Amino acid sequence: MYKIFIRPLLFLLPPETAHHYTLTLLKVFLKIPLMRNLVRMIYSRNDAKLRRNVYGLEFPNPVGLAAGFDKNALYMDDLACFGFGFIEIGTVTPLPQPGNEKPRLFRLSKDHALINRMGFNNDGVQVISERLKKRKSKIIIGGNIGKNKNTPNENAADDYLKCFTALFDYVDYFVVNVSSPNTPGLRELQDKEPLLKILKTLQEKNNSQSKRKPILLKIAPDLTPRQLDDIIEIAALTKIDGLVATNTTISRENLVTEKRVVESIGAGGLSGSPLREKATGVIHYLSHKTLLPIIGAGGIMNARDGDEKIKAGASLLQVYTGFVYEGPALVKRLCQSFLQII
């Protein structure tokens, strides 16, 4: 139904408009009596065999919604109805910021892909933490944190610490985002020295709490093997809990969409089907060099893609672009396929 009727209508609208329109309507739709129960019944796959204990957290199933879909924690209780095992909000920055100029989200329909250069648009950590206080669902929530655009890289650790401190009581785990291509200079924080500083600062705060929270690092798919080895070394030195592999790519290789169309879009991170192979390769490389649990993301459009990530070494999965193109049934299909390979 989604791919035949709903998606064609949504794709008549600009991508960012369609996103906000869909989520607004969803919130209204789910206020209808008994509708939440009906949606859960249709889209959820409940089975004890799907449960996964990762990072010391009990996930009801291994399929999560990636950061960026619900940046401002406005729809987490609504999206929880669609069978996700966990939802990641953000990326959150200390101060609110509008992000980059529109248009900043583009579809490559022939490639089942998106290009975005959102630029960490969000309402700021104080507003978002207040929303998280009021959440009703018990779904596991991850907090994806970043730095403000105007914060110099030498002060980046302060921004991450502010977000970490403000969100600590309201999320179940943290993801440190230094890999978005859409904030100038952000990916430079993946270099050894600045990344060590950020993670050590967060871990010092984390270890001072009565009960610490898992800290994960989200990495780019465009890193070289040497850079991945540095990430593994940094993860060991700072004793973080896991990795998210991967963020979007700056590559434009092997696209079906006409070159002139892609060039007219310009800069931004590419997600969806063209990212699948590259992201899986990073997961495979990391899983053979570290025992850290990995959340696999990037190009998961169907059950086969999810199986591929699990077999490459991912413990959990995250979807975003696949959810846009395939609709909510994707979550249930991934869960059902997971039951067949365990």
Side-chain angles (χ1 to χ4, degrees):
M1 178 179 173
Y2 174 83
K3 292 170 71 174
I4 296 173
F5 298 109
I6 299 175
R7 190 178 76 182
L9 291 174
L10 291 175
F11 277 29
L12 293 174
L13 300 171
E16 193 168 353
T17 302
H19 181 81
H20 291 297
Y21 183 69
T22 302
L23 290 175
T24 301
L25 282 180
L26 175 64
K27 186 173 280 292
V28 173
F29 178 73
L30 291 177
K31 288 181 179 178
I32 300 172
L34 302 179
M35 196 55 66
R36 287 179 181 270
N37 291 336
L38 179 61
V39 170
R40 288 192 190 99
M41 184 177 68
I42 294 172
Y43 292 110
S44 296
R45 182 67 166 90
N46 297 315
D47 193 311
K49 294 178 183 178
L50 288 170
R51 294 176 190 159
R52 287 293 172 270
N53 192 299
V54 189
Y55 314 123
L57 300 171
E58 188 73 25
F59 293 84
N61 71 63
V63 184
L65 182 63
F69 202 92
D70 187 14
K71 289 176 175 287
N72 291 309
L74 285 165
Y75 306 101
M76 54 194 166
D77 291 328
D78 305 301
L79 291 165
C81 296
F82 289 96
F84 289 106
F86 59 107
I87 291 174
E88 199 170 300
I89 57 96
T91 297
V92 182
T93 57
L95 299 175
Q97 58 183 29
N100 295 321
E101 291 184 9
K102 298 179 182 180
R104 55 194 180 182
L105 181 62
F106 308 87
R107 297 186 196 97
L108 303 184
S109 297
K110 293 180 181 179
D111 290 285
H112 290 84
L114 298 171
I115 291 176
N116 93 82
R117 51 171 176 269
M118 305 299 287
F120 286 177
N121 56 305
N122 74 105
D123 293 336
V125 73
Q126 294 305 322
V127 170
I128 292 172
S129 62
E130 287 297 321
R131 290 189 186 127
L132 287 164
K133 284 182 189 179
K134 300 172 184 176
R135 70 179 171 112
K136 297 180 177 66
S137 66
K138 295 181 180 179
I139 192 167
I140 290 173
I141 297 289
N144 187 298
I145 57 177
K147 80 172 188 73
N148 281 113
K149 181 178 180 179
N150 294 330
T151 300
N153 276 4
E154 55 266 28
N155 299 331
D158 295 334
D159 272 18
Y160 286 92
L161 182 59
K162 288 174 185 175
C163 292
F164 183 84
T165 303
L167 295 176
F168 189 86
D169 292 333
Y170 312 114
V171 300
D172 299 291
Y173 71 89
F174 285 91
V175 175
V176 177
N177 188 352
V178 291
S179 53
S180 169
N182 302 316
T183 296
L186 186 76
R187 284 193 170 189
E188 294 171 12
L189 296 176
Q190 292 179 117
D191 293 342
K192 196 168 186 178
E193 291 307 314
L195 188 52
L196 273 170
K197 182 180 179 181
I198 292 169
L199 295 178
K200 283 182 176 179
T201 299
L202 295 180
Q203 285 289 46
E204 183 177 346
K205 180 69 174 179
N206 200 21
N207 293 330
S208 72
Q209 306 299 310
S210 58
K211 184 179 181 181
R212 66 185 302 281
K213 296 284 176 78
I215 296 177
L216 285 62
L217 175 67
K218 189 167 187 174
I219 63 173
D222 307 306
L223 299 177
T224 65
R226 182 174 179 179
Q227 289 172 314
L228 289 174
D229 289 339
D230 283 344
I231 293 291
I232 293 167
E233 182 183 351
I234 291 165
L237 287 170
T238 57
K239 297 181 180 180
I240 61 171
D241 300 87
L243 301 167
V244 181
T246 65
N247 213 318
T248 57
T249 179
I250 57 174
S251 172
R252 299 292 188 266
E253 296 177 355
N254 303 317
L255 295 177
V256 176
T257 303
E258 294 85 349
K259 186 177 180 180
R260 60 176 180 79
V261 174
V262 177
E263 289 177 347
S264 70
I265 290 172
L270 176 73
S271 62
S273 287
L275 177 57
R276 178 189 60 81
E277 188 173 346
K278 181 175 283 195
T280 302
V282 171
I283 294 167
H284 185 270
Y285 187 92
L286 293 171
S287 68
H288 283 72
K289 294 210 168 191
T290 178
L291 296 176
L292 283 176
I294 299 166
I295 297 180
I300 300 174
M301 312 298 286
N302 52 51
R304 183 183 64 252
D305 298 336
D307 294 349
E308 180 184 75
K309 293 283 191 291
I310 296 294
K311 291 174 182 176
S315 299
L316 302 168
L317 305 174
Q318 280 184 336
V319 297
Y320 182 130
T321 305
F323 193 59
V324 172
Y325 276 89
E326 299 299 316
L330 175 62
V331 182
K332 190 172 185 178
R333 289 199 294 268
L334 287 168
C335 287
Q336 289 172 329
S337 181
F338 188 80
L339 286 172
Q340 296 174 10
I341 64 173
I342 58 176

